Coordinates of all heavy atoms in Angstrom, one line a residue:
N1 N 95.0 103.2 117.6 CA 94.1 103.9 116.7 C 94.8 104.5 115.5 O 95.7 105.3 115.7 CB 93.3 105.0 117.5 CG 92.2 105.6 116.6 OD1 91.9 105.1 115.5 ND2 91.5 106.5 117.1
L2 N 94.5 104.0 114.3 CA 95.2 104.5 113.1 C 94.4 105.7 112.5 O 93.2 105.7 112.3 CB 95.3 103.4 112.0 CG 96.1 102.2 112.5 CD1 95.9 101.1 111.4 CD2 97.5 102.6 112.6
S3 N 95.2 106.7 112.1 CA 94.6 107.8 111.5 C 94.5 107.6 110.0 O 95.3 106.8 109.4 CB 95.3 109.1 111.8 OG 96.6 109.1 111.2
Y4 N 93.6 108.2 109.3 CA 93.4 108.1 107.9 C 94.7 108.5 107.2 O 95.2 107.7 106.3 CB 92.3 109.0 107.5 CG 92.1 108.9 106.0 CD1 91.5 107.7 105.4 CD2 92.5 109.9 105.1 CE1 91.3 107.6 104.0 CE2 92.3 109.8 103.7 CZ 91.7 108.7 103.2 OH 91.5 108.5 101.9
P5 N 95.4 109.6 107.5 CA 96.7 109.9 106.7 C 97.7 108.8 106.9 O 98.4 108.4 105.9 CB 97.1 111.2 107.3 CG 95.9 111.8 107.8 CD 95.0 110.7 108.3
S6 N 97.9 108.2 108.1 CA 98.9 107.2 108.3 C 98.5 105.9 107.6 O 99.4 105.3 107.0 CB 99.2 106.9 109.8 OG 98.0 106.3 110.4
T7 N 97.3 105.5 107.5 CA 96.9 104.3 106.8 C 97.0 104.5 105.3 O 97.4 103.6 104.6 CB 95.5 103.9 107.2 OG1 94.6 104.9 107.0 CG2 95.5 103.4 108.6
T8 N 96.7 105.7 104.8 CA 96.9 106.0 103.4 C 98.3 106.0 103.0 O 98.6 105.4 102.0 CB 96.2 107.4 103.2 OG1 94.9 107.4 103.5 CG2 96.4 107.8 101.6
A9 N 99.2 106.6 103.8 CA 100.6 106.5 103.5 C 101.1 105.0 103.5 O 101.9 104.7 102.6 CB 101.4 107.3 104.5
A10 N 100.7 104.2 104.4 CA 101.1 102.8 104.4 C 100.6 102.2 103.2 O 101.4 101.3 102.6 CB 100.6 102.2 105.7
F11 N 99.4 102.3 102.8 CA 98.8 101.7 101.7 C 99.6 102.1 100.4 O 99.9 101.3 99.6 CB 97.3 102.1 101.6 CG 96.6 101.3 100.5 CD1 96.2 100.0 100.7 CD2 96.4 101.9 99.2 CE1 95.5 99.3 99.7 CE2 95.7 101.3 98.2 CZ 95.2 99.9 98.5
L12 N 99.8 103.4 100.3 CA 100.5 103.9 99.1 C 101.9 103.4 99.0 O 102.5 103.2 97.9 CB 100.4 105.4 99.0 CG 99.1 106.0 98.8 CD1 99.1 107.5 98.8 CD2 98.5 105.6 97.4
S13 N 102.6 103.2 100.1 CA 103.9 102.7 100.1 C 104.0 101.3 99.6 O 105.0 100.8 99.0 CB 104.6 102.7 101.5 OG 104.0 101.8 102.3
K14 N 102.9 100.5 99.8 CA 102.9 99.2 99.2 C 103.0 99.1 97.7 O 103.5 98.3 97.0 CB 101.6 98.5 99.6 CG 101.5 98.2 101.1 CD 100.1 97.6 101.4 CE 99.8 97.7 102.8 NZ 99.9 96.6 103.6
L15 N 102.3 100.2 97.1 CA 102.3 100.3 95.6 C 103.7 100.5 95.0 O 104.0 100.2 93.9 CB 101.4 101.3 95.2 CG 99.9 101.2 95.6 CD1 99.1 102.4 95.2 CD2 99.3 99.9 95.0
A16 N 104.6 101.1 95.8 CA 106.0 101.3 95.4 C 106.9 100.2 95.6 O 108.0 100.3 95.1 CB 106.5 102.6 96.1
H17 N 106.5 99.1 96.2 CA 107.4 98.0 96.5 C 107.8 97.3 95.1 O 106.9 96.9 94.4 CB 106.7 97.0 97.4 CG 107.7 96.0 98.0 ND1 108.3 95.0 97.2 CD2 108.1 95.8 99.2 CE1 109.1 94.3 98.0 NE2 109.0 94.8 99.2
P18 N 109.0 97.2 94.8 CA 109.4 96.7 93.5 C 109.1 95.2 93.2 O 109.1 94.7 92.1 CB 110.9 97.0 93.4 CG 111.4 97.0 94.8 CD 110.2 97.6 95.6
Q19 N 108.9 94.4 94.3 CA 108.8 93.0 94.1 C 107.4 92.5 94.5 O 107.1 91.3 94.7 CB 109.8 92.2 95.0 CG 111.3 92.5 94.5 CD 112.3 91.8 95.4 OE1 112.1 91.6 96.5 NE2 113.5 91.5 94.7
R20 N 106.5 93.5 94.6 CA 105.1 93.2 95.0 C 104.1 93.8 94.1 O 104.4 94.8 93.4 CB 104.8 93.6 96.4 CG 105.7 93.0 97.5 CD 105.2 91.7 97.8 NE 106.1 90.9 98.6 CZ 106.3 90.9 99.9 NH1 105.6 91.7 100.7 NH2 107.1 90.1 100.5
S21 N 103.0 93.3 94.0 CA 101.9 93.8 93.1 C 100.5 93.8 93.9 O 100.4 93.2 94.9 CB 101.7 93.0 91.9 OG 102.9 92.9 91.1
M22 N 99.6 94.5 93.4 CA 98.3 94.5 94.0 C 97.2 94.5 93.0 O 97.3 95.1 91.9 CB 98.2 95.9 94.7 CG 96.8 96.0 95.5 SD 96.7 97.5 96.5 CE 98.0 97.2 97.8
L23 N 96.2 93.6 93.2 CA 95.0 93.6 92.4 C 93.9 94.0 93.3 O 93.8 93.9 94.5 CB 94.8 92.1 92.1 CG 95.8 91.4 91.1 CD1 95.4 89.9 90.9 CD2 95.8 92.1 89.8
V24 N 92.9 94.7 92.6 CA 91.8 95.3 93.3 C 90.5 94.7 92.7 O 90.5 94.3 91.5 CB 91.7 96.8 93.3 CG1 92.9 97.4 93.9 CG2 91.6 97.3 91.9
A25 N 89.5 94.6 93.6 CA 88.1 94.2 93.2 C 87.2 95.4 93.3 O 87.2 96.1 94.4 CB 87.7 93.0 94.0
R26 N 86.5 95.7 92.3 CA 85.5 96.8 92.3 C 84.2 96.3 91.9 O 84.0 95.4 91.2 CB 86.0 97.9 91.4 CG 87.3 98.5 91.8 CD 87.9 99.4 90.9 NE 87.1 100.0 89.8 CZ 87.5 101.0 89.1 NH1 88.6 101.6 89.2 NH2 86.6 101.4 88.1
Q27 N 83.2 97.0 92.5 CA 81.8 96.7 92.2 C 81.1 98.1 92.0 O 81.1 98.9 92.9 CB 81.1 95.9 93.3 CG 79.7 95.4 93.0 CD 79.3 94.5 94.2 OE1 79.2 95.0 95.3 NE2 78.9 93.3 93.8
Q28 N 80.6 98.2 90.8 CA 80.0 99.5 90.4 C 80.9 100.7 90.7 O 80.5 101.7 91.2 CB 78.6 99.7 91.1 CG 77.6 98.6 90.7 CD 76.3 98.7 91.4 OE1 76.2 99.5 92.4 NE2 75.4 97.9 91.0
G29 N 82.2 100.5 90.4 CA 83.2 101.5 90.6 C 83.7 101.8 92.0 O 84.5 102.6 92.2
V30 N 83.3 101.0 92.9 CA 83.7 101.1 94.3 C 84.6 100.0 94.6 O 84.3 98.8 94.4 CB 82.5 101.1 95.3 CG1 82.9 101.1 96.7 CG2 81.5 102.3 94.9
L31 N 85.7 100.4 95.3 CA 86.8 99.4 95.8 C 86.1 98.5 96.9 O 85.6 99.1 97.8 CB 88.0 100.1 96.3 CG 89.1 99.2 96.8 CD1 89.7 98.4 95.6 CD2 90.2 100.0 97.5
I32 N 86.0 97.2 96.6 CA 85.5 96.3 97.7 C 86.5 95.3 98.2 O 86.2 94.6 99.1 CB 84.2 95.5 97.1 CG1 84.6 94.7 95.9 CG2 83.1 96.5 96.8 CD1 83.5 93.7 95.5
G33 N 87.7 95.3 97.6 CA 88.7 94.4 98.2 C 90.0 94.6 97.3 O 90.1 95.2 96.3
Y34 N 91.1 94.0 98.0 CA 92.4 94.0 97.3 C 93.2 92.8 97.7 O 93.0 92.3 98.9 CB 93.1 95.3 97.5 CG 93.7 95.6 98.8 CD1 95.0 95.1 99.2 CD2 93.0 96.3 99.8 CE1 95.5 95.3 100.5 CE2 93.5 96.5 101.0 CZ 94.7 96.0 101.4 OH 95.2 96.2 102.7
G35 N 94.1 92.5 96.9 CA 95.1 91.5 97.3 C 96.5 92.0 97.0 O 96.7 92.6 96.0
Y36 N 97.4 91.8 97.9 CA 98.8 92.2 97.8 C 99.7 91.0 97.8 O 99.6 90.1 98.7 CB 99.0 93.1 99.0 CG 100.4 93.8 99.0 CD1 100.8 94.6 97.9 CD2 101.2 93.7 100.1 CE1 102.0 95.2 98.0 CE2 102.5 94.4 100.2 CZ 102.8 95.1 99.1 OH 104.0 95.8 99.2
F37 N 100.5 90.8 96.8 CA 101.3 89.6 96.6 C 102.6 89.9 95.9 O 102.9 91.0 95.3 CB 100.5 88.7 95.8 CG 100.2 89.1 94.4 CD1 100.9 88.7 93.3 CD2 99.2 90.0 94.1 CE1 100.7 89.1 92.0 CE2 98.9 90.5 92.9 CZ 99.7 90.0 91.8
G38 N 103.4 88.9 95.9 CA 104.7 89.0 95.1 C 105.7 88.0 95.5 O 105.4 86.9 96.0
Q39 N 107.0 88.4 95.4 CA 108.1 87.5 95.7 C 108.1 87.1 97.2 O 107.9 87.9 98.0 CB 109.4 88.2 95.3 CG 110.6 87.2 95.4 CD 111.8 87.8 94.7 OE1 111.7 88.8 94.0 NE2 113.0 87.3 95.1
Q40 N 108.4 85.9 97.4 CA 108.4 85.3 98.8 C 109.5 86.1 99.6 O 110.6 86.4 99.2 CB 108.9 83.9 98.8 CG 109.2 83.2 100.1 CD 107.9 83.2 100.9 OE1 107.8 84.1 101.8 NE2 107.0 82.4 100.7
S41 N 109.1 86.5 100.8 CA 110.0 87.3 101.7 C 110.8 86.4 102.6 O 111.7 87.0 103.3 CB 109.2 88.3 102.5 OG 108.2 87.6 103.3
M42 N 110.5 85.1 102.7 CA 111.3 84.2 103.5 C 112.0 83.1 102.6 O 111.3 82.1 102.3 CB 110.5 83.6 104.6 CG 109.8 84.7 105.5 SD 108.6 84.0 106.6 CE 109.7 83.0 107.7
P43 N 113.2 83.4 102.1 CA 113.8 82.5 101.2 C 114.0 81.0 101.7 O 114.1 80.1 100.8 CB 115.2 83.1 100.9 CG 115.4 84.1 101.9 CD 114.0 84.5 102.5
E44 N 113.9 80.8 102.9 CA 114.0 79.4 103.4 C 112.8 78.5 103.1 O 112.8 77.3 103.3 CB 114.3 79.4 104.9 CG 113.3 79.9 105.8 CD 113.3 81.4 106.0 OE1 114.0 82.1 105.3 OE2 112.5 81.9 106.9
L45 N 111.7 79.2 102.8 CA 110.4 78.4 102.4 C 110.5 77.9 101.0 O 111.2 78.4 100.2 CB 109.2 79.3 102.6 CG 109.0 79.8 104.0 CD1 107.7 80.8 104.1 CD2 108.7 78.6 105.0
P46 N 109.8 76.8 100.8 CA 109.9 76.1 99.5 C 109.2 76.6 98.3 O 108.9 75.9 97.4 CB 109.5 74.6 99.9 CG 108.4 74.9 100.9 CD 109.0 76.0 101.7
Y47 N 108.8 77.8 98.3 CA 108.1 78.4 97.2 C 108.6 79.8 96.9 O 109.2 80.5 97.8 CB 106.5 78.3 97.4 CG 106.1 78.7 98.7 CD1 105.8 80.0 99.1 CD2 105.9 77.8 99.7 CE1 105.4 80.4 100.3 CE2 105.5 78.1 101.0 CZ 105.2 79.4 101.3 OH 104.8 79.8 102.6
D48 N 108.4 80.3 95.8 CA 108.9 81.6 95.4 C 108.0 82.8 95.6 O 108.4 84.0 95.6 CB 109.3 81.6 93.9 CG 110.5 80.6 93.7 OD1 111.3 80.4 94.5 OD2 110.5 80.0 92.6
G49 N 106.7 82.6 95.6 CA 105.7 83.7 95.7 C 104.9 83.6 97.0 O 104.8 82.5 97.6
E50 N 104.2 84.7 97.4 CA 103.4 84.7 98.5 C 102.3 85.7 98.4 O 102.4 86.8 97.8 CB 104.1 85.0 99.8 CG 104.7 86.4 99.9 CD 105.5 86.6 101.2 OE1 105.3 85.9 102.2 OE2 106.3 87.6 101.2
I51 N 101.1 85.4 99.0 CA 100.1 86.4 99.2 C 100.4 87.0 100.5 O 100.4 86.4 101.6 CB 98.7 85.7 99.1 CG1 98.5 85.2 97.7 CG2 97.6 86.7 99.5 CD1 97.2 84.3 97.5
V52 N 100.5 88.3 100.5 CA 100.9 89.1 101.7 C 99.7 89.6 102.4 O 99.6 89.5 103.7 CB 101.8 90.2 101.3 CG1 102.2 91.0 102.6 CG2 103.0 89.8 100.6
E53 N 98.7 90.0 101.7 CA 97.4 90.6 102.3 C 96.3 90.3 101.4 O 96.4 90.3 100.2 CB 97.5 92.1 102.5 CG 98.3 92.6 103.6 CD 98.3 94.1 103.7 OE1 97.2 94.8 103.4 OE2 99.3 94.7 104.1
L54 N 95.1 90.1 102.0 CA 93.8 90.0 101.3 C 92.8 90.7 102.2 O 92.7 90.4 103.4 CB 93.4 88.5 101.2 CG 92.1 88.3 100.5 CD1 92.1 88.7 99.0 CD2 91.7 86.8 100.5
Y55 N 92.2 91.7 101.6 CA 91.2 92.5 102.3 C 89.9 92.5 101.5 O 89.9 92.9 100.3 CB 91.7 93.9 102.6 CG 90.5 94.7 103.2 CD1 90.2 94.6 104.6 CD2 89.8 95.6 102.5 CE1 89.2 95.3 105.1 CE2 88.8 96.4 103.0 CZ 88.5 96.2 104.3 OH 87.5 96.9 104.9
I56 N 88.8 92.2 102.1 CA 87.5 92.4 101.6 C 86.6 93.2 102.5 O 86.6 93.0 103.7 CB 86.8 91.0 101.4 CG1 87.7 90.0 100.6 CG2 85.5 91.1 100.7 CD1 88.2 90.4 99.3
R57 N 85.9 94.2 101.9 CA 85.0 95.0 102.8 C 84.0 94.1 103.4 O 83.5 93.2 102.8 CB 84.4 96.1 101.9 CG 85.3 97.2 101.4 CD 84.6 98.2 100.6 NE 83.7 98.9 101.6 CZ 83.3 100.1 101.4 NH1 83.6 100.7 100.2 NH2 82.5 100.7 102.2
P58 N 83.7 94.3 104.7 CA 82.8 93.5 105.4 C 81.5 93.2 104.7 O 81.0 92.1 104.7 CB 82.6 94.2 106.7 CG 83.8 94.9 107.0 CD 84.2 95.4 105.5
E59 N 80.9 94.2 104.1 CA 79.6 94.1 103.4 C 79.7 93.2 102.1 O 78.7 92.8 101.6 CB 79.0 95.4 103.1 CG 79.7 96.3 102.2 CD 80.7 97.2 103.0 OE1 81.0 97.0 104.2 OE2 81.2 98.2 102.4
S60 N 81.0 92.9 101.7 CA 81.2 92.1 100.4 C 81.6 90.7 100.7 O 81.8 89.9 99.8 CB 82.2 92.8 99.6 OG 81.7 94.1 99.2
I61 N 81.8 90.4 102.0 CA 82.2 89.0 102.4 C 81.1 88.1 102.1 O 79.9 88.4 102.2 CB 82.6 89.0 103.9 CG1 83.9 89.8 104.1 CG2 82.7 87.6 104.4 CD1 84.3 90.0 105.5
G62 N 81.5 86.9 101.5 CA 80.5 85.9 101.2 C 80.0 85.9 99.8 O 79.1 85.2 99.4
Q63 N 80.6 86.8 99.0 CA 80.1 87.0 97.6 C 81.1 86.4 96.6 O 81.0 86.6 95.4 CB 79.9 88.5 97.3 CG 78.9 89.1 98.1 CD 78.7 90.6 97.8 OE1 79.3 91.1 96.8 NE2 78.0 91.3 98.7
G64 N 82.2 85.7 97.2 CA 83.2 85.1 96.3 C 84.3 86.0 95.9 O 85.2 85.7 95.0
V65 N 84.3 87.3 96.4 CA 85.4 88.3 96.0 C 86.8 87.8 96.4 O 87.7 87.9 95.6 CB 85.0 89.6 96.7 CG1 86.2 90.7 96.4 CG2 83.7 90.1 96.2
G66 N 86.9 87.3 97.7 CA 88.2 86.8 98.1 C 88.7 85.7 97.3 O 89.9 85.6 96.9
K67 N 87.8 84.7 96.9 CA 88.2 83.6 96.2 C 88.7 84.0 94.8 O 89.7 83.6 94.3 CB 87.0 82.7 96.0 CG 87.2 81.4 95.2 CD 86.0 80.5 95.2 CE 86.2 79.3 94.6 NZ 85.0 78.4 94.6
K68 N 88.0 85.0 94.2 CA 88.4 85.5 92.8 C 89.8 86.2 92.9 O 90.6 86.0 92.0 CB 87.4 86.4 92.3 CG 86.1 85.7 91.8 CD 85.1 86.7 91.3 CE 83.8 85.9 91.0 NZ 82.7 86.8 90.7
L69 N 90.0 87.0 94.0 CA 91.3 87.7 94.1 C 92.4 86.6 94.3 O 93.5 86.8 93.8 CB 91.2 88.7 95.3 CG 90.6 90.0 94.9 CD1 90.4 90.8 96.2 CD2 91.4 90.8 94.0
V70 N 92.1 85.6 95.2 CA 93.2 84.6 95.4 C 93.6 84.0 94.1 O 94.8 83.8 93.7 CB 92.8 83.6 96.5 CG1 93.7 82.4 96.5 CG2 92.7 84.3 97.8
Y71 N 92.6 83.5 93.4 CA 92.9 82.9 92.1 C 93.6 83.8 91.1 O 94.6 83.4 90.4 CB 91.6 82.3 91.4 CG 91.0 81.1 92.0 CD1 89.7 80.9 92.2 CD2 91.9 80.1 92.5 CE1 89.2 79.8 92.7 CE2 91.3 78.9 93.1 CZ 90.0 78.8 93.2 OH 89.5 77.6 93.7
A72 N 93.2 85.1 91.0 CA 93.8 86.0 90.2 C 95.3 86.2 90.6 O 96.2 86.4 89.8 CB 93.1 87.3 90.2
M73 N 95.6 86.3 91.9 CA 96.9 86.5 92.4 C 97.8 85.3 92.1 O 98.9 85.4 91.7 CB 96.9 86.8 93.9 CG 96.5 88.2 94.3 SD 96.6 88.6 96.0 CE 95.3 87.6 96.7
M74 N 97.2 84.1 92.2 CA 98.0 82.9 91.9 C 98.3 82.8 90.4 O 99.4 82.5 90.1 CB 97.2 81.6 92.4 CG 97.1 81.5 93.9 SD 95.9 80.3 94.4 CE 96.6 78.8 93.7
E75 N 97.4 83.2 89.6 CA 97.6 83.2 88.2 C 98.7 84.2 87.8 O 99.5 84.0 87.0 CB 96.3 83.5 87.4 CG 95.3 82.3 87.4 CD 94.0 82.7 86.7 OE1 93.9 83.8 86.1 OE2 93.1 81.9 86.8
A76 N 98.6 85.4 88.4 CA 99.6 86.4 88.2 C 101.0 86.0 88.6 O 102.0 86.2 87.9 CB 99.2 87.7 88.8
M77 N 101.1 85.3 89.8 CA 102.4 84.9 90.2 C 103.0 83.8 89.3 O 104.1 83.8 88.9 CB 102.3 84.4 91.7 CG 102.2 85.5 92.7 SD 102.4 85.0 94.4 CE 100.7 84.3 94.7
A78 N 102.1 82.9 88.9 CA 102.5 81.8 88.0 C 103.0 82.4 86.6 O 104.1 82.1 86.1 CB 101.5 80.8 87.8
A79 N 102.2 83.4 86.1 CA 102.6 84.0 84.9 C 103.9 84.8 85.0 O 104.7 85.0 84.0 CB 101.5 85.0 84.4
G80 N 104.2 85.3 86.2 CA 105.5 86.0 86.5 C 106.6 85.1 86.9 O 107.7 85.6 87.3
G81 N 106.4 83.8 86.9 CA 107.5 82.9 87.2 C 107.7 82.6 88.7 O 108.7 82.1 89.2
L82 N 106.6 83.0 89.5 CA 106.8 82.7 90.9 C 106.0 81.5 91.3 O 105.1 81.1 91.5 CB 106.2 83.9 91.7 CG 107.0 85.2 91.6 CD1 106.4 86.3 92.3 CD2 108.4 85.0 92.0

């Protein structure tokens, strides 16, 4: 069972990672999803970037939010040379 403070700390620590980025999806000012991505963590794989996490609030699934986040993360990685 995860407590709110521990999950908040873990989430905030992601924002400080120097080789990763996060994009968020909002609807009417409410966070409905996020994507966490950046430099590949396994150098033996044949690509430079990776999507680490994708989260969509359950009530927002099926609205294309995940698809938009994936495309946006891919574009951001390509623009950053990954």
